[in-house]
């Protein structure tokens, strides 16, 4: 701890800079969104008085409610699939020898560093009517006619899973890394079978990782509007598409803002659950 | 059991890589339709580089990523140092805010910034993009540098002072070299995040400054464009180089 | 005549309103090996950091060779520190670590190379100059830290628990090595430790600290054999506290009743009166364990025995319930020398080896001190 008088100006400058940045570019804009959500739509100035909760009421309009629920369903399904693939994957990965593990992790984050639009587009090459998957299935004689794969709900979910899987695996991997082998041995030693050990030891200890993964997947899965744009056609929209349309095309800012607040609240809820689970394990919440 | 888990790992990796391999292979495909193989060719690379708007967007993106990564590294490193070294009021709030920025859906950040820029009358273009990109890169840099600092021995600066170094010399000869790998890793992460971003950029960019992800976006929305395969392959090679660079830096620093 | 090198006078320091040092004064002589000993939180490290310049006192002055350096920053003080976990610069080679201080003095390259080599030779590391710190063992890192600090030829070397990270054997070796270095260099060493054994074996003088006060200042012998108060007696080594009562005072001699035995002792330095209770202190090694039919001593029975290799340590419960620790050397002539638990014995000690202390207001040790004292023993 070095706190001599000479360093005070430096300290003050740094604090002003970072606080200024965060207040101006994070807090203020978010307040703006909250404000916009309770104002009235105005075609020329985007928003105007009077204040009302019209936008929130509109969220319950059956038309939008349908889109929301469908989006939530797709995001939840994406998350579930990521979890089902990612959980055993992370476990298996953490059991590989250390020197190979580094390479495997590297291979896992290569896609993450690769442009996500380009990767979504690559899926299009595979899923298109006369694309690779259909050709392969037909030449194998599994199907006679090309199946409609692109522009379906399934395509959107495949796209989301493909983009978001690493975000599920990485936090899971880190909790499995921390899961010490002797804890499992201790459980067996005390008479627990494989299943009982899994339920009573492995699951509780990896729960923070599961929740972190869910958080990292579920939220983007509701917001990545370009995935349905490229793979899903007009019927499989995400909340992200709705927000984007409301802001950029329909110019209905209050409604877009209200939708994004719902998204933020979902995030807050997940973060709270994550903290709670970590606390239960006696760790300091992140 | 072991055999099963190995095959499972292999299968998932296969699925992760098939699209990427397909993309690379098809970038050398001579066929115009894009689905069938028509022989080896570099024609899509050629047409890519002849597309003036595309090349311009590429330069714009590179410049944006370069500046955004640099600015966010400077501010992020200073923030991390402040969080690490100083005790001040609202430290937890600051920490929490950074965490919220990192976790919050990109689209929420995007619309909030759009609202701010329009309210201020800021013309959408390079400046608005830079401010937005720095904002979403910042928490990642802070976290990377903080992680390095948390393993940093508090006595090192004192040892330097004890041996006759002034505060400035200490910072130059000890503090910066020690956190250098984290600065570089944070910079590379920021660079990649900026190069890859579609969601935020869609909202805060204007016609005056077209960037690559948005250009690709407009291309792939409608049908198939074989140039995208070529472009994707180039971006892949570029990211691979960057990634290997960062891994190399990290592994060297661990020694 | 010894010359005063550093003197601290009236030093007070508070952290967050908690007093760490309270009007402490101390002078350190040129060329001595002085140890600051105390449990954690006693203020010893703060005191050392004040000498180094990392902390500044709220009140009081620090003078070095007669010059006031109270507010002088660390980089301008002609003294150097060996840090607890060495604080070697991880990105520099051993050579560059040791050369760092000389580079700060802007010495010519040739001189730096020569002096670094000399310093590394002194700690037997001349072949390791090109290694990075992480390629060295703990003991080697320790030597680099010492070389880095002494290469600047400081007037005084400050060592902050430098051996605490080493294992027992290496620690012993380094203790001897540090003593050798100090003799060769002839500079003052200020050594901070919570290990009383280390303090006793290395120091010319020991400063026993607790709660920011100096409890005792003296040679290892004085501190061990003539502790100034209950804390020092308990913290430095193990001690039996027997309840005594003054029965008679005659000139410079007094009689004290201990467990019903009457002992004639010389009058202590504190005031005594007839019928006053006081502590009679006896180290475990002063205790003699006798056969139950012996006529001397007090009756009791063995409740604990620990074989320690060269000694046999036992705990004897006396009839009034109090416990006595005894530590006896093996008698080579008596192969059957051993006890079994429950065995009846008698306890005695050599007349005249008792040390008397007055009873203090705040007698019983708090748990924390007990723990710290335990720490220091192991």
């Amino acid at each position: 701890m070095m706190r001599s008088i000479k360093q005070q100006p430096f300290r003050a400058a740094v604090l002003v800079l970072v606080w200024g940045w965060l207040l101006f570019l994070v807090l203020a804009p978010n307040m703006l969104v909250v404000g916009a959500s309770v104002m009235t739509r105005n075609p020329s100035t985007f928003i105007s008085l009077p204040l009302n909760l019209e936008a929130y009421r509109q969220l319950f309009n059956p038309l939008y409610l349908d889109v929301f629920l469908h989006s939530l369903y797709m995001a939840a399904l994406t998350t579930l699939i990521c979890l089902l693939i990612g959980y055993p994957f992370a476990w298996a990965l953490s059991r590989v020898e250390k020197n190979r593990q580094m390479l495997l992790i590297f291979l896992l984050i290569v896609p993450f560093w690769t442009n996500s639009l380009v990767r979504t587009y690559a899926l299009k090459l595979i899923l298109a009517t006369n694309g690779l998957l259909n050709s392969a299935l037909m030449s194998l004689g599994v199907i006679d006619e090309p199946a409609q794969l692109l522009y379906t709900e399934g395509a959107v979910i495949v796209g989301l899973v493909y983009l978001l899987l690493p975000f599920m695996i990485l936090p899971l991997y880190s909790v499995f890394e921390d899961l010490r082998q002797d804890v499992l041995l201790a459980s067996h030693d005390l008479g627990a079978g494989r299943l009982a050990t899994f339920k009573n030891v492995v699951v509780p200890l990896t729960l923070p990782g599961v929740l972190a993964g869910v958080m990292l997947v579920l939220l983007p899965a509701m917001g990545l509007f370009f995935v349905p744009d490229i793979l899903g056609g007009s019927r499989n929209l995400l909340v992200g598409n709705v927000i984007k349309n409301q802001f950029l095309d329909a110019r209905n800012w209050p409604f877009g803002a209200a939708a994004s607040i719902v998204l933020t609240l979902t995030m807050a809820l997940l973060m709270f659950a994550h903290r709670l689970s970590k606390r239960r394990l006696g760790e300091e919440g992140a | 059991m072991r055999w099963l888990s190995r095959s499972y790992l292999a299968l998932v990796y296969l699925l992760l890589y098939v699209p990427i391999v397909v993309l690379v292979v098809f970038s050398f495909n001579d066929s115009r339709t894009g689905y069938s193989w028509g022989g080896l060719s570099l024609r899509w690379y050629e047409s890519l580089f002849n597309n003036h708007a595309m090349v311009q967007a590429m330069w714009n993106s590179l410049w944006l990523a370069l500046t955004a990564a640099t600015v966010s590294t400077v501010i992020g490193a200073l923030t991390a140092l402040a969080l690490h070294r100083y005790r001040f009021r609202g430290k937890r709030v600051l920490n929490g805010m950074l965490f919220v920025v990192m976790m919050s859906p990109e689209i929420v950040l995007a619309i909030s910034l759009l609202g701010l820029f329009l309210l201020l009358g800021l013309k959408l273009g390079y400046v608005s993009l830079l401010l937005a990109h720095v904002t979403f890169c910042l928490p990642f840099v802070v976290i990377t540098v903080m992680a390095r600092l948390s393993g940093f021995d508090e006595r090192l600066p004192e040892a330097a002072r004890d041996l006759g170094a002034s505060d400035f010399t200490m910072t130059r000869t000890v503090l910066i070299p020690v956190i250098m790998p984290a600065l570089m890793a944070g910079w590379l992460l920021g660079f990649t995040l900026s190069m890859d971003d579609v969601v935020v950029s869609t909202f805060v960019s204007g016609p005056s400054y077209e960037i690559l992800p948005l250009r690709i976006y407009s291309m792939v929305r409608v049908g198939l464009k074989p140039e995208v395969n070529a472009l994707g392959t180039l971006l892949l090679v570029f990211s691979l180089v960057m990634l290997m660079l960062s891994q190399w830096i990290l592994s060297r620093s661990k020694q | 005549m010894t010359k005063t090198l550093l003197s601290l006078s009236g030093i007070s320091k508070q952290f967050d309103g908690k007093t760490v040092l309270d009007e402490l004064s101390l002078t350190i002589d040129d060329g001595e090996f002085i140890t600051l000993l105390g449990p954690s939180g006693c203020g010893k490290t703060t005191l050392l950091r004040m000498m180094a310049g990392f902390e500044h006192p709220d009140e009081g002055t620090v003078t070095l060779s007669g010059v006031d350096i109270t507010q002088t920053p660390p980089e301008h003080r002609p003294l150097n520190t060996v840090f607890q976990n060495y604080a070697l610069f991880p990105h520099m080679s051993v050579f560059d670590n040791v050369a760092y201080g000389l580079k700060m003095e802007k010495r010519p390259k040739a001189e730096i190379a020569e002096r670094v080599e000399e310093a590394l030779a002194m700690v037997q590391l001349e072949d390791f100059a090109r290694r990075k710190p992480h390629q060295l063992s703990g003991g080697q890192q320790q030597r680099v830290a010492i070389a880095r600090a002494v290469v600047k030829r400081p007037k005084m070397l400050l060592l902050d628990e430098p051996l605490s990270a080493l294992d027992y054997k290496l620690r012993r070796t380094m203790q001897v090595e540090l003593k050798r270095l100090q003799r060769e260099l002839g500079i003052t060493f200020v050594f901070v430790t919570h290990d009383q054994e280390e303090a006793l074996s290395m120091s010319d003088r020991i400063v026993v600290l607790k709660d920011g006060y100096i409890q005792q200042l003296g040679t290892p012998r004085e501190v061990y054999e003539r502790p100034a108060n209950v804390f020092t007696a308990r913290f430095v080594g193990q001690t039996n506290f027997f309840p005594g009562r003054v029965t008679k005072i005659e000139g410079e001699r007094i009689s004290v009743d201990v467990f019903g035995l009457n002992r004639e002792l010389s009058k202590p330095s504190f005031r005594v009166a007839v019928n006053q209770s006081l502590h009679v202190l006896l180290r475990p090694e002063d205790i003699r364990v006798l056969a139950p039919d012996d006529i001397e001593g007090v009756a009791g029975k063995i409740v604990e025995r620990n074989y320690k290799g060269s000694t046999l340590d036992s705990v004897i419960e006396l009839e009034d319930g109090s416990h006595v620790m005894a530590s006896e050397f093996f008698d080579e002539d008596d192969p059957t020398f051993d006890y079994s638990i429950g065995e009846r014995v008698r306890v005695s000690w050599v007349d005249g080896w008792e040390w008397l202390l007055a009873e203090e207001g705040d007698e019983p040790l708090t748990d924390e001190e007990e723990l710290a004292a335990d720490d220091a023993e192991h």
Side-chain angles (χ1 to χ4, degrees):
Chain A
M1 243 177 289
M2 309 180 19
R3 276 175 287 155
S4 72
I5 310 292
K6 269 192 280 179
Q7 288 171 319
Q8 297 304 313
F10 175 70
R11 172 192 140 119
V14 171
L15 290 182
V16 165
L17 179 69
V18 61
W19 273 115
W21 192 283
L22 287 177
L23 292 180
F24 179 64
L25 286 154
V26 176
L27 196 64
N30 277 300
M31 291 292 110
L32 215 63
V33 172
V34 175
S37 74
V38 293
M39 290 176 87
T40 310
R41 178 184 178 189
N42 183 314
S44 57
T45 59
F46 301 114
I47 44 173
S48 62
L49 291 170
L51 300 180
N52 57 54
L53 291 175
E54 182 58 31
Y56 289 94
R57 217 167 51 79
Q58 226 179 329
L59 286 171
F60 292 97
N61 176 329
L63 185 72
Y64 288 115
L65 201 60
D66 259 9
V67 174
F68 267 108
L69 290 178
H70 188 58
S71 167
L72 195 64
Y73 158 76
M74 285 196 291
L77 196 58
T78 300
T79 312
L80 187 67
I81 294 171
C82 282
L83 185 61
L84 289 178
I85 299 177
Y87 198 82
F89 184 90
W91 197 346
L93 189 62
S94 71
R95 293 287 165 265
V96 175
E97 306 88 77
K98 279 278 164 290
N99 47 346
R100 278 204 221 163
Q101 231 174 64
M102 289 328 291
L103 179 72
L104 290 177
I105 301 271
F106 179 78
L107 285 176
L108 195 66
I109 48 179
V110 166
F112 164 71
W113 283 59
T114 313
N115 194 292
S116 44
L117 266 179
V118 170
R119 280 188 295 144
T120 313
Y121 171 76
L123 282 179
K124 200 172 188 174
L125 288 175
I126 294 170
L127 297 175
T129 313
N130 39 3
L132 289 175
L133 190 57
N134 268 321
S135 319
L137 290 176
M138 280 199 294
S139 62
L140 287 172
V142 180
I143 50 172
D144 300 327
E145 285 191 356
Q148 176 64 42
L149 301 171
L150 205 55
Y151 308 124
T152 60
E153 187 185 292
V156 175
I157 289 169
V158 166
L160 290 173
V161 169
Y162 181 52
L163 290 185
L164 299 171
L165 186 60
F167 293 94
M168 178 63 86
I169 292 173
L170 289 173
L172 282 173
Y173 166 74
S174 90
V175 287
F176 274 117
E177 267 289 287
D178 290 344
L179 183 71
R180 287 167 34 186
Q181 202 63 40
D182 54 6
V183 176
L184 303 185
L185 292 179
S187 168
H188 290 309
D189 182 62
L190 296 169
R194 275 176 185 279
L195 201 67
T197 300
F198 181 75
K199 203 184 91 191
N200 297 314
V201 179
V202 180
V203 170
L205 285 178
T206 53
L207 196 62
V210 171
L211 283 166
V214 166
M215 199 151 67
L216 288 170
V217 171
L218 188 68
L219 292 164
M222 292 198 277
L224 285 179
F225 55 76
F226 60 84
V227 176
D229 260 6
I230 297 170
L231 299 172
S234 56
R235 276 175 297 114
N236 299 297
L237 298 178
L238 299 181
V239 178
N241 296 76
V242 176
I243 297 175
K244 174 174 161 259
N245 292 343
Q246 294 304 320
F247 266 86
L248 297 184
D249 306 327
R251 303 275 168 188
N252 187 349
W253 279 34
F255 183 59
S260 81
I261 283 169
V262 171
L263 211 55
T264 310
L265 288 178
T266 316
M267 173 191 78
L269 210 67
L270 283 169
M271 270 166 60
F272 183 68
H274 181 240
R275 266 184 97 95
L276 220 61
S277 79
K278 282 193 104 161
R279 208 138 302 135
R280 270 184 43 186
L281 285 183
E283 290 170 35
E284 183 56 25
Chain B
M1 230 8 229
R2 196 183 154 92
W3 173 84
L4 195 71
S5 84
R6 290 291 154 93
S7 348
Y8 180 68
L9 283 176
L11 179 72
V12 174
Y13 276 111
L14 186 73
L15 289 176
L16 277 178
Y17 277 86
V18 161
I20 293 176
V21 172
V22 166
L23 182 86
V24 173
V25 170
F26 272 63
S27 75
F28 298 105
N29 185 4
D30 195 38
S31 158
R32 172 165 282 282
T33 59
Y35 295 120
S36 52
W37 184 251
L40 268 179
S41 155
L42 286 176
R43 61 186 285 198
W44 305 118
Y45 289 90
E46 223 179 288
S47 85
L48 192 66
F49 285 107
N50 287 332
N51 184 336
H52 178 72
M54 184 68 102
V55 173
Q56 183 58 45
M58 215 181 309
W59 283 124
N60 284 348
S61 263
L62 277 175
W63 176 243
L64 174 65
L66 215 75
T67 46
T70 308
V71 174
S72 57
T73 302
V74 171
I75 301 180
L78 290 174
T79 308
L81 277 174
L83 282 172
H84 180 76
R85 257 170 88 167
Y86 303 136
R87 269 193 269 169
F88 54 88
R89 244 193 254 188
K91 191 165 166 169
R92 287 175 69 96
V93 181
L94 187 70
N95 242 328
M97 251 163 111
L98 286 165
F99 187 64
V100 167
V101 179
M102 197 163 66
M103 293 310 300
S104 56
E106 279 173 282
I107 190 145
V108 176
L109 184 75
I111 57 162
S112 66
L113 286 173
L114 174 66
L116 179 77
F117 294 151
L118 289 182
L119 188 76
L120 294 177
L122 183 74
K123 200 166 140 280
L124 295 181
Y126 172 71
V127 176
S128 61
L129 278 167
L130 181 69
L131 288 173
H133 282 213
V134 171
T135 302
F136 69 70
C137 290
L138 203 58
F140 293 93
V141 177
V142 174
I143 292 226
T144 317
V145 178
M146 280 286 269
R148 180 81 184 174
L149 283 173
S150 73
F152 181 77
D153 183 355
E154 282 302 326
R155 302 279 178 238
L156 286 183
E158 287 185 355
R161 299 288 297 274
D162 186 66
L163 294 166
S166 64
D167 198 33
F168 176 75
T169 314
M170 182 278 291
T171 306
R172 187 172 57 79
T173 56
V174 175
L175 200 55
I176 291 181
V178 169
I179 64 167
M180 200 51 171
L183 293 183
M184 280 154 105
W187 188 90
L188 281 166
L189 190 61
F191 186 90
T192 315
L193 286 171
S194 167
M195 279 297 275
D196 190 40
D197 175 71
V198 185
V199 175
V200 175
S201 304
T202 301
F203 286 84
V204 298
S205 76
S208 66
Y209 200 82
E210 198 186 21
I211 55 171
L212 200 58
L214 296 186
R215 175 107 204 143
I216 301 175
Y217 189 30
S218 65
M219 283 169 78
V220 296
R221 281 171 96 169
V222 279
L224 293 173
K225 292 275 163 46
E227 288 101 333
V228 174
N229 297 337
L231 183 62
T233 306
L234 288 179
L235 286 173
L236 175 69
V237 172
F238 187 71
S239 320
L240 265 179
V241 171
M242 299 280 284
L243 185 56
M244 288 204 291
L245 209 66
S246 78
Q247 292 286 323
W248 181 70
I249 291 166
L250 280 178
S251 70
R252 234 180 51 135
S253 75
K254 274 199 192 118
Q255 276 174 15
Chain C
M1 256 320 274
T2 48
K3 202 177 93 206
T4 296
L5 178 62
L6 184 102
S7 79
L8 301 150
S9 56
I11 300 287
S12 294
K13 180 74 181 178
Q14 294 199 334
F15 284 124
D16 300 324
K18 192 179 167 280
T19 303
V20 179
L21 294 174
D22 200 358
E23 289 192 32
L24 185 146
S25 296
L26 174 68
T27 58
I28 296 172
D29 296 334
D30 200 5
E32 76 170 326
F33 194 122
I34 190 167
T35 298
L36 308 180
L37 174 70
S40 53
C42 70
K44 58 188 192 297
T45 295
T46 307
L47 199 57
L48 191 83
R49 289 168 61 79
M50 231 163 241
M51 298 179 198
F54 300 129
E55 308 283 359
H56 302 286
D58 299 335
E59 273 166 59
T61 53
V62 184
T63 52
L64 182 75
S65 311
V67 183
D68 185 340
I69 56 161
T70 314
Q71 297 301 329
T72 310
E75 60 265 38
H76 296 130
R77 297 188 183 199
L79 15 115
N80 291 108
T81 308
V82 176
F83 291 86
Q84 185 166 14
N85 295 307
Y86 324 137
L88 298 179
F89 305 124
H91 56 297
M92 295 180 197
S93 66
V94 166
F95 183 94
D96 288 334
N97 262 286
V98 178
Y100 191 90
L102 298 176
K103 282 181 187 156
M104 293 302 129
E105 288 177 9
K106 305 222 158 42
R107 299 273 168 191
K109 268 219 167 75
E111 184 194 337
I112 290 179
E114 192 185 319
R115 281 173 65 177
V116 168
E117 240 159 74
E118 196 184 311
L120 286 176
M122 199 159 54
V123 294
Q124 285 118 42
L125 280 178
E126 51 275 70
D127 299 334
F128 294 84
R130 310 184 72 123
R131 299 255 188 119
K132 286 277 184 72
H134 68 89
Q135 294 168 310
L136 302 179
S137 70
Q140 289 167 334
Q141 293 185 19
Q142 172 69 80
R143 288 157 195 265
V144 177
I146 293 167
R148 184 176 71 175
V150 297
V151 76
K152 293 191 67 158
R153 295 174 190 155
K155 290 190 171 174
M156 199 161 136
L157 195 65
L158 309 172
L159 302 106
D160 185 9
E161 308 217 11
L163 308 181
S164 62
L166 303 177
D167 65 48
Y168 183 77
K169 240 183 144 172
L170 200 50
R171 218 154 132 165
R172 280 286 143 128
T173 321
M174 286 308 294
Q175 285 175 8
V176 175
E177 195 125 328
L178 276 175
K179 273 306 274 185
R180 174 183 66 83
L181 260 176
Q182 198 244 347
R183 264 198 315 276
E184 279 174 19
L185 295 167
I187 56 178
T188 310
F189 275 35
V190 182
F191 190 90
V192 162
T193 187
H194 63 259
D195 181 341
Q196 40 100 12
E197 216 177 305
E198 203 166 85
L200 290 174
S201 67
M202 298 176 78
S203 328
D204 295 327
R205 287 199 300 162
I206 297 177
V207 183
V208 182
L209 280 165
K210 185 197 158 210
D211 299 338
Y213 287 105
I214 294 181
Q215 303 289 316
Q216 187 166 5
L217 171 61
T219 64
R221 220 196 163 99
E222 283 165 358
V223 169
Y224 188 78
E225 293 182 359
R226 298 197 287 280
N229 52 30
V230 173
F231 171 79
T232 309
R234 284 196 199 248
F235 189 74
V236 183
Q238 285 187 309
T239 309
N240 289 303
F241 281 72
F242 294 157
R245 195 174 49 83
V246 181
T247 53
K248 201 165 70 184
I249 305 176
E250 249 173 48
E252 286 308 300
R253 306 291 291 173
I254 62 169
S255 293
V256 179
D257 172 86
V258 193
F259 298 128
L261 305 172
N262 193 51
R263 295 278 165 166
E264 286 233 342
L265 305 167
S266 36
K267 202 172 158 189
S269 56
F270 57 89
R271 287 172 61 98
V272 283
V274 173
N275 264 336
Q276 180 191 340
S277 333
L278 36 66
H279 292 297
V280 178
L281 271 61
L282 280 155
R283 298 284 180 186
E285 60 269 25
D286 298 341
I287 300 289
R288 297 280 171 270
V289 183
L290 307 169
D293 51 1
D294 211 294
I295 45 159
E296 266 190 79
V298 195
K301 64 169 199 276
I302 304 277
V303 289
E304 221 183 291
R305 56 174 292 278
N306 281 312
Y307 174 74
K308 286 273 180 71
S310 56
T311 60
L312 181 71
D313 293 0
S314 42
V315 176
I316 298 117
E317 191 178 272
L318 301 183
E319 274 154 5
D320 69 347
S322 56
H323 285 186
V324 178
M325 294 177 288
S327 177
E328 294 174 286
F329 278 97
F330 283 104
D331 184 354
E332 282 177 25
D333 300 330
D334 183 6
T336 59
F337 164 74
D338 202 348
Y339 308 109
S340 49
I341 290 187
E343 195 177 327
R344 307 221 134 260
V345 291
R346 291 184 83 81
V347 171
S348 180
W349 58 89
V350 182
D351 222 351
W353 287 13
E354 302 91 343
W355 178 248
L356 298 178
L357 279 181
E359 289 190 329
E360 293 164 24
D362 49 348
E363 288 275 274
L365 281 188
T366 62
D367 285 350
E368 213 180 306
E369 284 163 358
E370 201 103 53
L371 279 177
D374 275 349
D375 264 0
E377 278 154 18
H378 296 135

